[in-house]
Amino acid sequence: MLRSLWIGLLLSFVLSLSAGAAGKPEQPQFLTEGEVRTAVERYLTEKLRGRGWQTTISQLAIPQRVSLPKGVRDLEIVAPSSWDGWGAVSMALLVRVNGVMEKNLPLRLTVDARTEMVVANRQLLAGTVLTEEDLSLQQREVAQAAGLHVSAIEDVVGMKLRSMVRSGAPVKSNQLQKVPVINNGQLVTIVAESAGFRMTVTGRAKGSGGVGDIIKVENLNSRKQFPARIVDSTTVEAGF
Protein backbone atom coordinates (compact mmCIF):
# COMPACT_ATOMS: atom_id res chain seq x y z
CA MET A 1 0.00 0.00 0.00
CA LEU A 2 2.85 2.34 0.83
CA ARG A 3 4.36 1.58 -2.54
CA SER A 4 1.08 2.44 -4.24
CA LEU A 5 0.98 5.73 -2.37
CA TRP A 6 4.51 6.65 -3.51
CA ILE A 7 3.68 5.77 -7.10
CA GLY A 8 0.56 7.97 -6.92
CA LEU A 9 2.53 10.91 -5.55
CA LEU A 10 5.18 10.50 -8.23
CA LEU A 11 2.56 10.45 -10.99
CA SER A 12 0.91 13.55 -9.56
CA PHE A 13 4.28 15.35 -9.54
CA VAL A 14 5.06 14.39 -13.15
CA LEU A 15 1.60 15.46 -14.30
CA SER A 16 1.95 18.80 -12.54
CA LEU A 17 5.29 19.42 -14.31
CA SER A 18 3.75 18.56 -17.67
CA ALA A 19 0.83 20.88 -17.07
CA GLY A 20 3.19 23.69 -16.05
CA ALA A 21 5.30 23.24 -19.19
CA ALA A 22 2.23 23.19 -21.41
CA GLY A 23 0.85 26.36 -19.87
CA LYS A 24 4.14 28.28 -19.94
CA PRO A 25 3.71 31.50 -22.01
CA GLU A 26 5.69 31.83 -25.23
CA GLN A 27 8.75 34.05 -24.92
CA PRO A 28 8.41 37.33 -26.88
CA GLN A 29 10.58 37.84 -29.98
CA PHE A 30 12.26 41.25 -30.18
CA LEU A 31 13.53 43.21 -33.19
CA THR A 32 17.31 43.60 -32.92
CA GLU A 33 19.49 46.57 -33.84
CA GLY A 34 21.61 44.22 -35.97
CA GLU A 35 18.61 43.33 -38.13
CA VAL A 36 17.75 47.00 -38.61
CA ARG A 37 21.33 48.01 -39.40
CA THR A 38 21.59 45.23 -42.00
CA ALA A 39 18.37 46.44 -43.66
CA VAL A 40 19.62 50.05 -43.69
CA GLU A 41 23.00 49.06 -45.16
CA ARG A 42 21.25 47.04 -47.87
CA TYR A 43 19.07 50.05 -48.72
CA LEU A 44 22.08 52.40 -48.89
CA THR A 45 24.02 50.02 -51.13
CA GLU A 46 21.17 50.02 -53.62
CA LYS A 47 20.47 53.76 -53.45
CA LEU A 48 24.12 54.82 -53.85
CA ARG A 49 25.07 52.20 -56.42
CA GLY A 50 27.49 53.63 -59.01
CA ARG A 51 28.34 56.82 -57.11
CA GLY A 52 31.62 55.56 -55.68
CA TRP A 53 30.90 57.10 -52.27
CA GLN A 54 32.41 55.78 -49.05
CA THR A 55 29.63 55.79 -46.46
CA THR A 56 29.40 55.20 -42.72
CA ILE A 57 26.26 55.06 -40.58
CA SER A 58 27.30 57.40 -37.76
CA GLN A 59 23.95 57.43 -35.94
CA LEU A 60 21.01 55.02 -35.95
CA ALA A 61 18.09 55.53 -33.57
CA ILE A 62 15.46 52.79 -33.49
CA PRO A 63 12.52 52.01 -31.15
CA GLN A 64 13.50 49.71 -28.28
CA ARG A 65 12.01 46.32 -27.34
CA VAL A 66 9.73 45.96 -30.35
CA SER A 67 8.07 42.57 -29.91
CA LEU A 68 7.12 40.45 -32.91
CA PRO A 69 5.43 37.10 -33.49
CA LYS A 70 7.56 34.12 -34.49
CA GLY A 71 8.20 33.67 -38.18
CA VAL A 72 10.25 34.80 -41.15
CA ARG A 73 10.94 38.54 -40.94
CA ASP A 74 11.29 40.92 -43.85
CA LEU A 75 12.44 44.51 -43.21
CA GLU A 76 11.87 47.31 -45.75
CA ILE A 77 13.27 50.85 -45.55
CA VAL A 78 11.20 53.76 -46.88
CA ALA A 79 13.02 57.12 -47.13
CA PRO A 80 11.94 60.53 -48.48
CA SER A 81 12.46 60.73 -52.24
CA SER A 82 14.27 64.04 -51.77
CA TRP A 83 16.98 62.50 -49.57
CA ASP A 84 20.26 62.20 -51.49
CA GLY A 85 21.91 59.50 -49.38
CA TRP A 86 23.96 61.59 -46.94
CA GLY A 87 23.38 63.52 -43.72
CA ALA A 88 20.50 63.14 -41.28
CA VAL A 89 17.13 61.75 -42.33
CA SER A 90 13.93 60.34 -40.84
CA MET A 91 12.85 57.02 -42.38
CA ALA A 92 10.15 54.41 -41.94
CA LEU A 93 10.92 50.77 -41.18
CA LEU A 94 8.25 48.34 -42.38
CA VAL A 95 8.42 44.95 -40.67
CA ARG A 96 6.63 41.93 -42.12
CA VAL A 97 6.45 38.51 -40.48
CA ASN A 98 5.53 35.59 -42.74
CA GLY A 99 4.46 38.15 -45.34
CA VAL A 100 2.07 39.97 -42.98
CA MET A 101 2.69 43.63 -42.08
CA GLU A 102 3.30 43.82 -38.33
CA LYS A 103 5.04 47.14 -37.65
CA ASN A 104 5.58 50.56 -39.20
CA LEU A 105 8.38 52.10 -37.14
CA PRO A 106 10.20 55.46 -37.26
CA LEU A 107 13.98 55.51 -37.77
CA ARG A 108 16.42 58.38 -37.37
CA LEU A 109 19.60 57.98 -39.36
CA THR A 110 22.78 59.95 -40.08
CA VAL A 111 25.08 58.91 -42.92
CA ASP A 112 28.60 60.29 -43.36
CA ALA A 113 29.71 60.12 -47.01
CA ARG A 114 33.03 60.83 -48.72
CA THR A 115 33.84 61.09 -52.40
CA GLU A 116 36.38 62.58 -54.79
CA MET A 117 35.54 66.17 -55.72
CA VAL A 118 37.03 69.31 -57.27
CA VAL A 119 38.76 71.56 -54.71
CA ALA A 120 40.67 74.83 -54.95
CA ASN A 121 44.48 74.65 -54.91
CA ARG A 122 44.63 78.23 -53.63
CA GLN A 123 42.23 80.94 -52.53
CA LEU A 124 40.15 81.89 -55.55
CA LEU A 125 38.39 85.26 -55.65
CA ALA A 126 34.94 85.93 -57.04
CA GLY A 127 35.15 86.59 -60.77
CA THR A 128 38.08 84.20 -61.30
CA VAL A 129 37.91 82.26 -64.58
CA LEU A 130 39.07 78.80 -63.55
CA THR A 131 42.03 76.95 -65.07
CA GLU A 132 43.38 73.43 -64.48
CA GLU A 133 46.18 74.88 -62.35
CA ASP A 134 43.61 76.29 -59.91
CA LEU A 135 42.02 72.90 -59.20
CA SER A 136 42.62 69.33 -58.08
CA LEU A 137 40.61 66.23 -57.16
CA GLN A 138 40.60 65.23 -53.50
CA GLN A 139 38.55 63.09 -51.12
CA ARG A 140 36.18 65.22 -49.05
CA GLU A 141 33.02 64.84 -47.00
CA VAL A 142 29.93 65.32 -49.18
CA ALA A 143 28.59 67.56 -46.40
CA GLN A 144 31.48 70.00 -46.95
CA ALA A 145 29.97 70.90 -50.32
CA ALA A 146 26.38 70.54 -49.10
CA GLY A 147 25.91 67.89 -51.80
CA LEU A 148 26.78 70.42 -54.52
CA HIS A 149 30.25 69.07 -55.30
CA VAL A 150 31.66 68.75 -58.83
CA SER A 151 33.30 65.45 -59.75
CA ALA A 152 35.33 66.36 -62.87
CA ILE A 153 37.85 69.16 -63.37
CA GLU A 154 36.93 69.47 -67.06
CA ASP A 155 33.40 70.44 -66.03
CA VAL A 156 34.81 73.44 -64.14
CA VAL A 157 37.66 74.77 -66.31
CA GLY A 158 36.62 77.94 -68.14
CA MET A 159 33.79 78.69 -65.71
CA LYS A 160 33.66 81.89 -63.66
CA LEU A 161 33.29 82.00 -59.87
CA ARG A 162 30.30 83.81 -58.39
CA SER A 163 31.91 83.86 -54.93
CA MET A 164 35.28 83.30 -53.25
CA VAL A 165 36.52 79.75 -52.61
CA ARG A 166 39.09 79.18 -49.85
CA SER A 167 42.22 77.12 -50.47
CA GLY A 168 41.42 73.42 -50.07
CA ALA A 169 37.66 73.97 -50.10
CA PRO A 170 35.33 72.20 -52.55
CA VAL A 171 34.10 74.15 -55.55
CA LYS A 172 30.29 74.02 -55.45
CA SER A 173 28.14 73.88 -58.55
CA ASN A 174 26.11 76.91 -57.40
CA GLN A 175 29.30 79.00 -57.26
CA LEU A 176 29.88 78.63 -60.99
CA GLN A 177 28.64 80.56 -63.99
CA LYS A 178 29.54 80.61 -67.64
CA VAL A 179 31.83 83.38 -68.81
CA PRO A 180 29.67 85.83 -70.80
CA VAL A 181 30.56 85.94 -74.48
CA ILE A 182 27.73 88.35 -75.27
CA ASN A 183 26.96 91.37 -73.07
CA ASN A 184 23.80 93.36 -72.54
CA GLY A 185 23.38 96.03 -75.25
CA GLN A 186 25.78 94.38 -77.70
CA LEU A 187 24.88 94.18 -81.41
CA VAL A 188 24.42 90.57 -82.54
CA THR A 189 23.52 88.62 -85.63
CA ILE A 190 20.18 86.85 -85.17
CA VAL A 191 19.90 83.63 -87.15
CA ALA A 192 16.49 82.05 -87.75
CA GLU A 193 16.23 78.76 -89.63
CA SER A 194 13.16 76.66 -90.39
CA ALA A 195 12.37 73.98 -93.00
CA GLY A 196 15.55 74.74 -94.94
CA PHE A 197 14.93 78.51 -94.91
CA ARG A 198 17.62 80.62 -93.23
CA MET A 199 17.36 84.31 -92.40
CA THR A 200 19.76 86.65 -90.63
CA VAL A 201 18.99 90.07 -89.18
CA THR A 202 20.82 92.49 -86.92
CA GLY A 203 19.66 92.70 -83.36
CA ARG A 204 20.63 93.92 -79.91
CA ALA A 205 21.21 91.73 -76.86
CA LYS A 206 18.92 92.45 -73.94
CA GLY A 207 20.96 90.36 -71.53
CA SER A 208 24.37 88.77 -71.02
CA GLY A 209 25.32 85.10 -71.19
CA GLY A 210 27.70 82.35 -72.22
CA VAL A 211 27.54 79.87 -75.09
CA GLY A 212 24.32 77.88 -74.87
CA ASP A 213 22.54 80.37 -72.63
CA ILE A 214 19.20 81.84 -73.66
CA ILE A 215 18.82 85.60 -73.57
CA LYS A 216 16.35 88.12 -74.93
CA VAL A 217 17.25 89.94 -78.14
CA GLU A 218 15.60 92.77 -80.07
CA ASN A 219 15.15 92.84 -83.85
CA LEU A 220 16.35 96.32 -84.82
CA ASN A 221 14.00 96.42 -87.81
CA SER A 222 10.75 95.38 -86.13
CA ARG A 223 11.69 96.32 -82.55
CA LYS A 224 10.23 92.99 -81.42
CA GLN A 225 11.91 91.13 -78.57
CA PHE A 226 12.15 87.34 -78.27
CA PRO A 227 14.41 84.68 -76.73
CA ALA A 228 17.46 83.38 -78.57
CA ARG A 229 20.25 80.94 -77.79
CA ILE A 230 23.85 82.17 -77.80
CA VAL A 231 25.96 80.42 -80.45
CA ASP A 232 29.20 82.40 -80.12
CA SER A 233 30.43 85.89 -79.26
CA THR A 234 28.50 87.56 -82.12
CA THR A 235 25.68 85.19 -83.06
CA VAL A 236 22.39 84.06 -81.50
CA GLU A 237 19.86 81.55 -82.81
CA ALA A 238 16.11 82.13 -82.70
CA GLY A 239 13.30 79.70 -83.35
CA PHE A 240 15.10 76.73 -81.72
Side-chain angles (χ1 to χ4, degrees):
M1 183 172 178
L2 184 60
R3 183 179 178 184
S4 300
L5 179 61
W6 277 108
I7 292 174
L9 289 173
L10 183 59
L11 287 173
S12 297
F13 179 70
V14 171
L15 288 172
S16 65
L17 287 178
S18 300
K24 187 177 181 180
E26 189 176 279
Q27 291 297 316
Q29 306 292 309
F30 293 107
L31 184 67
T32 68
E33 181 175 339
E35 287 179 279
V36 177
R37 185 174 289 272
T38 298
V40 171
E41 290 173 347
R42 184 171 59 243
Y43 168 82
L44 287 174
T45 298
E46 185 61 32
K47 181 175 180 65
L48 302 178
R49 188 182 303 278
R51 296 197 195 182
W53 291 7
Q54 300 173 8
T55 58
T56 303
I57 300 173
S58 58
Q59 291 184 346
L60 177 60
I62 66 173
Q64 299 299 306
R65 294 186 65 80
V66 176
S67 61
L68 297 167
K70 281 187 176 181
V72 179
R73 299 179 190 175
D74 175 54
L75 277 59
E76 179 185 355
I77 302 296
V78 179
S81 58
S82 58
W83 187 59
D84 199 36
W86 64 275
V89 64
S90 293
M91 297 176 163
L93 173 65
L94 308 183
V95 183
R96 298 179 179 86
V97 179
N98 296 330
V100 178
M101 178 69 70
E102 293 289 345
K103 301 289 183 181
N104 185 340
L105 304 170
L107 292 183
R108 185 67 181 170
L109 175 72
T110 302
V111 176
D112 296 333
R114 292 178 63 85
T115 190
E116 199 170 61
M117 61 183 70
V118 177
V119 301
N121 288 336
R122 59 184 179 84
Q123 180 170 294
L124 301 171
L125 300 178
T128 300
V129 178
L130 298 171
T131 66
E132 288 190 24
E133 289 71 28
D134 296 326
L135 311 164
S136 60
L137 287 175
Q138 296 182 23
Q139 286 279 339
R140 288 287 189 275
E141 294 284 343
V142 173
Q144 284 187 259
L148 299 174
H149 58 277
V150 182
S151 301
I153 291 178
E154 57 265 29
D155 293 338
V156 175
V157 170
M159 301 285 276
K160 183 178 179 180
L161 284 176
R162 296 177 183 271
S163 57
M164 183 191 75
V165 180
R166 299 189 312 276
S167 177
V171 177
K172 302 176 186 176
S173 58
N174 64 351
Q175 293 177 302
L176 301 169
Q177 63 180 3
K178 293 180 180 178
V179 176
V181 295
I182 288 180
N183 296 304
N184 185 35
Q186 176 183 332
L187 292 178
V188 294
T189 299
I190 302 172
V191 178
E193 191 169 2
S194 178
F197 176 75
R198 178 182 174 90
M199 180 181 69
T200 61
V201 294
T202 300
R204 188 178 301 278
K206 291 297 181 178
S208 302
V211 173
D213 289 342
I214 295 174
I215 61 172
K216 275 192 174 182
V217 295
E218 180 184 63
N219 184 326
L220 294 185
N221 294 328
S222 65
R223 297 299 178 182
K224 289 184 178 180
Q225 294 186 14
F226 44 86
R229 178 181 289 118
I230 297 176
V231 176
D232 55 36
S233 60
T234 61
T235 310
V236 299
E237 180 185 25
F240 47 85

